Amino acid sequence: MPSGEGPPGASHGGALLGAATRHSGVRCATLAFLSLAGTAAGLLLPAALGRALDALLAHPSADSSRATNWVLYCTALVLVLAVLDACETVLGATTNARATAWLRERLTGHVLGVGPRAGHRFGPGELVARLVGNAAQAGTAPATMAGLFAALAAPLGAVVALWLIDPRLALVFLGGVPVVVAVLRAFARNSSRCVARYQDAQGRIAGALAEAIGGARTIAAGGTADKEVARILRPLPELSREGHRMWRVQGRAAAQAVGVAPLLQIAVLATAGLLLTQHRLSVGELLAASRYAVLATGVGVLVGRLGGLVEARASARRLGEVLDEPETTYGTRHLPPGQGTLELRAVTARNRDGRTVLDGVDLVVPGGTTMAVVGRSGAGKSLLAALAGRLADPDSGEVLLDGVPLRELDRHTLRRAIGYAFERPALLGETVEDTIGFGHPTPPPDRVREAARTARADDFVRRLPHGYATPCAAAPLSGGEAQRLGLARAFAHGGRLLILDDALSSLDTVTEHHVTEALFRRTPGYGRLVVAHRASTAARADSVAWLDGGRVRAVGRHAELWAQPGYRAVFGSDTGDKATCTGDERNGGSS
């Protein structure tokens, strides 16, 4: 968002609350009607009580029917208030749930539309905190807004009622209204800042906790649990400070309201008593005026409603920050006939800290061939693989598949044309067969099994309790087995370009040999880009792209590049012994 338009997420956050309110428009209108009806009944009750009291005092025995009728009216109003309150409670809860569900669906769809960039921008834990906790708080806004009208209508209606009893009563009360308005404005302003800082601290704790859960084995092996707990809870003092500040702001507002409200009530009651002694008011009207004075000074209800609205708006701002991240847009073009030729033209890409990872990369992977991408840790291999399949977009330059820029391709055309396998594949789907077939469109069962055989996964899958129908949660898999399922998924979906981002790293030597034999077999119709750490993998490829310092230092056959000491050093070897060309050495760093 451009500067000067408000804090990040404010614009999208406001629009999001408006859309959520419109989504539950009928319910909100009904809730507002019920709230206003309850307010109206509450405003009628003091008048009815006053009339009943006047009837009893004026006609204690002569006309008891009139007093009885007013008592019955009061009873009916009390019953109506109880029924309306119950309906309002149920409808308010269901409206909150409905709005929360809509917000989560809207945000989840947007996060998936943004793609991996959303996880890099916010972190998984922070995203979960926003989509779960903040969405639930923002989801209370429609019902809160619907109830806010009734909360405002009660004191306004009470002032009108005081005016109808005697204008002087209303004028006395209105003399203290500016103080009440000032209290409410100060509460809303101060509370908004506290809530925003409180939620930011919550998000940082959630993000750190998600990181720790993901690295639980490393933490246990390193014996650093205490340090991790301290790291996760580092924002806790700030969270506590802002929480206490919120309570102080709310307590101060309540204390000021408690100080002002009784004074206004006493002033109204004293004026009413004086009018009673002058026979300008009846006893019943005095009773009604005392009740209306209480309703008119009902600042506590407004403080509660405003507090809920402030929290909802602060949560919506955090959701709006997610919406500020633009979704990936797609074109409408389709691919011409081709064999999966990939081309990178002057591609430059930076990470979120602004550091240039790839700088003006030019690279061509001819269709029907396999190219291995090698380089030291941090050279940009995984980023290049992400750009090649449009899991990320370059900051400048163009990526083309069979002559068509990836940005211009239709979404389904792009995803059908490019298959991926990752170092740590996400095993999505209910069963193992669902995991291998995950994607659009879903491949038929015979193709799933053929892909599993190619990836050397069929044998261990058949040994599972229910074979391919085994639920993923009930299938304890090693790292290599999970990686083979990821390879099977890529093989099952096919396409004209297959990208493997270090997807062979957890395979044993024999399995890797079988998989690479099938993978690197010259097959017309599709190309293959393989991020490799092993010399043996690079040796089987048709060509190797050597990344160094964000640039392509050389492209050629592995045996040709092996003559250069810098290339050998990528695989942890600085000797000229060609026997190591097909060895199993591997750089342990990340790509």
Side-chain angles (χ1 to χ4, degrees):
M1 179 187 300
S3 59
E5 295 185 14
S11 177
H12 276 124
L16 194 63
L17 288 185
T21 303
R22 289 191 297 273
H23 175 71
S24 301
V26 175
R27 288 174 174 267
C28 288
T30 305
L31 188 59
F33 172 78
L34 291 175
S35 299
L36 289 172
T39 298
L43 290 171
L44 289 174
L45 185 57
L49 288 171
R51 292 295 183 90
L53 181 59
D54 283 341
L56 288 171
L57 293 176
H59 311 282
S61 58
D63 191 8
S64 60
S65 61
R66 183 164 176 257
T68 301
N69 289 338
W70 279 112
V71 171
L72 291 176
Y73 293 154
C74 294
T75 304
L77 286 172
V78 171
L79 291 175
V80 167
L81 281 170
V83 172
L84 289 174
D85 182 65
C87 294
E88 186 180 347
T89 300
V90 173
L91 186 59
T94 56
T95 301
N96 290 344
R98 179 183 174 87
T100 299
W102 183 85
L103 286 170
R104 286 173 178 165
E105 183 179 3
R106 169 80 173 83
L107 267 293
T108 301
H110 183 81
V111 168
L112 295 178
V114 172
R117 189 173 68 253
H120 297 154
R121 166 73 171 79
F122 298 100
E126 176 77 4
L127 277 177
V128 170
R130 296 187 187 218
L131 268 64
V132 176
N134 293 140
Q137 289 176 323
T140 63
T144 301
M145 286 293 295
L148 189 60
F149 291 111
L152 289 169
L156 291 176
V159 172
V160 172
L162 287 173
W163 183 277
L164 292 175
I165 294 173
D166 191 290
R168 284 165 288 191
L169 298 177
L171 292 174
V172 169
F173 177 82
L174 291 174
V177 167
V179 179
V180 176
V181 172
V183 168
L184 293 177
R185 287 186 61 184
F187 168 75
R189 183 178 60 253
N190 297 332
S191 180
S192 180
R193 289 196 293 264
C194 297
V195 169
R197 291 192 291 260
Y198 184 87
Q199 291 178 346
D200 287 342
Q202 273 186 324
R204 292 199 298 276
I205 290 175
L209 180 60
E211 291 175 1
I213 292 174
R217 290 189 302 176
T218 302
I219 293 169
T224 59
D226 292 340
K227 290 183 179 179
E228 283 301 304
V229 170
R231 181 182 71 87
I232 293 168
L233 298 181
R234 192 172 297 141
L236 195 58
E238 180 184 354
L239 187 76
S240 175
R241 183 169 60 253
E242 297 303 331
H244 282 85
R245 189 171 295 165
M246 285 168 54
W247 283 112
R248 285 196 297 271
V249 168
Q250 189 165 354
R252 189 183 304 117
Q256 290 169 343
V258 167
V260 173
L263 294 177
L264 289 175
Q265 292 170 15
I266 291 171
V268 171
L269 194 58
T271 304
L274 180 62
L275 293 174
L276 177 66
T277 60
Q278 298 173 355
H279 304 290
R280 297 177 182 271
L281 290 184
S282 66
V283 176
E285 288 174 327
L286 174 65
L287 173 63
S290 66
R291 297 300 305 159
Y292 285 130
V294 172
L295 290 174
T297 54
V299 181
V301 176
L302 277 175
V303 167
R305 295 286 186 181
L306 284 175
L309 192 58
V310 165
E311 288 187 9
R313 286 176 61 85
S315 296
R317 179 189 61 79
R318 288 172 58 79
L319 299 181
E321 290 176 2
V322 179
L323 292 180
D324 284 346
E325 199 71 23
E327 290 191 41
T328 302
T329 57
Y330 296 87
T332 58
R333 294 184 62 179
H334 297 277
L335 287 170
Q339 295 187 347
T341 298
L342 175 71
E343 185 177 359
L344 282 74
R345 296 178 180 172
V347 166
T348 295
R350 302 178 182 86
N351 60 16
R352 59 178 175 175
D353 297 326
R355 182 177 68 87
T356 299
V357 181
L358 296 176
D359 187 9
V361 171
D362 291 300
L363 186 66
V364 177
V365 182
T369 67
T370 300
M371 176 177 284
V373 179
V374 304
R376 290 184 177 276
S377 176
K381 302 185 295 298
S382 286
L383 179 55
L384 188 146
L387 295 172
R390 213 189 167 203
L391 296 182
D393 285 324
D395 293 284
S396 63
E398 199 71 81
V399 183
L400 302 92
L401 181 62
D402 285 329
V404 181
L406 296 187
R407 295 175 188 268
E408 299 179 11
L409 283 175
D410 169 78
R411 179 175 186 169
H412 294 300
T413 299
L414 174 66
R415 292 304 158 214
R416 282 195 297 266
I418 301 176
Y420 261 102
F422 303 100
E423 180 184 9
R424 297 181 181 88
L427 303 183
L428 304 175
E430 293 184 6
T431 65
V432 172
E433 183 170 359
D434 293 338
T435 293
I436 298 175
F438 186 82
H440 179 79
T442 302
D446 58 339
R447 190 168 174 179
V448 167
R449 283 158 176 74
E450 177 61 29
R453 286 191 288 271
T454 303
R456 289 296 191 269
D458 183 71
D459 289 341
F460 78 78
V461 170
R462 291 186 181 277
R463 290 196 297 270
L464 294 173
H466 303 288
Y468 284 88
T470 302
C472 287
L477 303 173
S478 67
E481 289 170 339
Q483 208 165 65
R484 277 183 272 173
L485 291 182
L487 286 165
R489 179 163 59 206
F491 295 152
H493 285 277
R496 62 177 72 185
L497 176 64
L498 184 61
I499 301 173
L500 274 62
D501 185 1
D502 200 21
L504 307 173
S505 59
S506 296
L507 304 184
D508 60 83
T509 305
V510 175
T511 301
E512 184 211 5
H513 174 75
H514 288 298
V515 171
T516 52
E517 283 296 316
L519 176 67
F520 295 160
R521 187 184 304 122
R522 286 188 174 273
T523 306
Y526 68 92
R528 297 161 293 273
L529 182 70
V530 181
V531 173
H533 287 287
R534 292 175 176 173
S536 58
T537 304
R540 292 189 178 98
D542 296 311
S543 60
V544 177
W546 174 17
L547 282 183
D548 186 24
R551 296 177 178 270
V552 177
R553 183 166 173 178
V555 176
R557 300 276 301 177
H558 174 73
E560 299 168 352
L561 297 175
W562 191 259
Q564 302 186 42
Y567 181 79
R568 294 196 303 272
V570 169
F571 302 100
S573 173
D574 58 1
T575 70
D577 184 5
K578 279 219 171 178
T580 59
C581 288
T582 57
D584 198 30
E585 292 88 351
R586 176 173 177 268
N587 188 325
S590 64
S591 58

